[in-house]
Amino acid sequence: MTPPDLRGVMRTFATGVCVASAYRDTPGGRRHDAMTVNSLGSISLDPPLICLSFRRGSGFLGDLLAAGCWAVSILPAGVRETARRLAMPLPARATHVAGLHARPGAATGGLVLAGASWLECGLRQRFDLGDHTLVIGQVLTAGHHARSPALVFLHGGYHTVDDPQAATVHLSGPGHWGEYC
């Protein structure tokens, strides 16, 4: 049996684009890291829980687990280049992290990007699943910028959603999902 083309199928699923940030305290001081992710999910409103998924063994995941907390900045449309740069491997990302327009979050110390909606989270649970680790975070603090155009990832690239009404599709009638659910 041929394995399913999960990567190909998931490229057709539009997701929001975020930057997760964590740090590690070293003898030379605090070293921040930040990386682009699109695996953010809302788990529960009461208590407020979110999840992120990272490749097992990644340096970023190691920093996040060691700190036990992190910040997530949900990127607005105008920062595509930041998303691209922070999607690079760690050595290439490091110089970009140092130049981010960001502040340390009050609850976690993770970097919160200027102009972005944000969450600061404490580690609640983790699960090793396949080649990734899913982390569940308790939301400690949050803030948002209403109505800023969204940055989304679709078909291997970054796109802007300026008008959420333009993206509305009505699924009804024969041949639509309603028949199957």
Side-chain angles (χ1 to χ4, degrees):
M1 183 162 118
T2 306
D5 182 14
L6 181 60
R7 184 181 300 267
V9 170
M10 293 310 295
R11 288 173 58 90
T12 68
F13 181 66
T15 61
V17 182
C18 308
V19 167
S21 63
Y23 60 85
R24 186 174 293 258
D25 288 325
T26 69
R30 183 164 282 181
R31 180 188 47 80
H32 285 275
D33 191 9
M35 68 180 290
T36 303
V37 296
N38 65 349
S39 62
L40 176 66
S42 175
I43 302 295
S44 169
L45 294 177
D46 186 18
L49 302 172
I50 59 118
C51 67
L52 290 170
S53 177
F54 300 98
R55 182 184 45 79
R56 246 199 277 173
S58 78
F60 182 87
L61 176 61
D63 290 348
L64 182 151
L65 294 174
C69 59
W70 68 93
V72 176
S73 297
I74 300 171
L75 299 183
V79 294
R80 283 181 200 213
E81 193 56 34
T82 298
R84 280 190 190 97
R85 289 178 178 165
L86 296 177
M88 297 176 176
L90 177 58
R93 274 196 324 258
T95 53
H96 300 300
V97 170
L100 285 175
H101 295 288
R103 63 171 172 75
T108 65
L111 297 177
V112 173
L113 276 64
S117 295
W118 52 270
L119 305 159
E120 288 187 86
C121 301
L123 182 62
R124 174 92 174 245
Q125 287 182 293
R126 68 173 271 191
F127 302 94
D128 291 331
L129 303 164
D131 59 0
H132 276 63
T133 296
L134 182 75
V135 293
I136 308 293
Q138 173 95 32
V139 178
L140 305 172
T141 62
H144 64 91
H145 293 274
R147 302 232 179 243
S148 50
L151 184 63
V152 297
F153 190 73
L154 177 66
H155 297 299
Y158 298 107
H159 305 277
T160 300
V161 178
D162 299 49
D163 180 6
Q165 295 301 319
T168 302
V169 176
H170 298 284
L171 298 177
S172 61
H176 292 284
W177 288 108
E179 289 182 7
Y180 306 104
C181 297

